Amino acid sequence: MNPYGYNYYQEFIPNHYNYYAPYDYDAFIQQTEQYEGNRQPPLERRVSQLERQNERQGREITRLNDEIRRLNREINRISREFNRINQLVTQLNERVEQHTRRLNRLNQRLRAVENRLDLPFTPGEGGF
């Protein structure tokens, strides 16, 4: 210290001037908080993001493939049921045709008997 009470450094250093350069602490905190969430460089972050997206898409593709397999099994089941019903309908149609042919033959035989016996057939008389 100066014994005469005069600080000769005072004239070289203005009162409003600090010894340290001003620093924006708010910007530093914002930058730090932003960096805390993403500690990886941008390229690595993008690669990680794409890998996660790839995993999600892979899981979705697997789920959709399982759904497609399930739907194909259901389609096959319905197709087999449809084929079975078609076979039944075909069998029923054959039986109906057989009965129709039998009825036609019976009607022909009845007409032949009517013609031989000269029986007049009129539907209004309630019978043969």
Side-chain angles (χ1 to χ4, degrees):
M1 171 131 182
N2 191 346
Y4 302 107
Y6 176 74
N7 189 353
Y8 59 93
Y9 290 108
Q10 189 69 28
E11 60 186 57
F12 298 111
I13 301 171
N15 289 336
H16 68 278
Y17 186 79
N18 293 331
Y19 290 99
Y20 300 102
Y23 189 78
D24 189 2
Y25 287 102
D26 292 334
F28 174 75
I29 290 171
Q30 287 175 353
Q31 198 174 33
T32 305
E33 287 173 354
Q34 183 181 12
Y35 189 69
E36 287 293 324
N38 302 318
R39 291 192 179 268
Q40 298 173 331
L43 183 59
E44 290 179 19
R45 275 195 309 258
R46 182 66 178 143
V47 168
S48 297
Q49 180 186 13
L50 290 173
E51 286 173 347
R52 286 190 303 272
Q53 181 182 0
N54 193 16
E55 284 179 24
R56 283 192 306 270
Q57 288 174 345
R59 285 192 302 268
E60 182 66 12
I61 287 171
T62 302
R63 187 189 68 77
L64 290 173
N65 281 337
D66 292 343
E67 182 71 11
I68 287 170
R69 279 190 220 99
R70 187 189 67 77
L71 291 172
N72 280 335
R73 284 193 303 269
E74 184 69 13
I75 287 170
N76 287 334
R77 186 191 67 76
I78 291 171
S79 177
R80 286 191 304 270
E81 184 70 15
F82 183 77
N83 288 337
R84 187 184 67 77
I85 291 171
N86 271 342
Q87 288 174 352
L88 287 175
V89 167
T90 303
Q91 291 172 357
L92 287 174
N93 282 339
E94 289 173 0
R95 287 183 184 169
V96 167
E97 288 175 8
Q98 286 175 357
H99 288 295
T100 303
R101 284 193 300 268
R102 285 181 186 169
L103 285 173
N104 286 339
R105 280 196 306 266
L106 280 173
N107 280 337
Q108 287 174 355
R109 289 169 65 187
L110 284 173
R111 301 252 186 235
V113 169
E114 284 176 4
N115 289 338
R116 277 192 202 152
L117 297 176
D118 267 340
L119 296 173
F121 172 72
T122 58
E125 294 179 358
F128 186 91

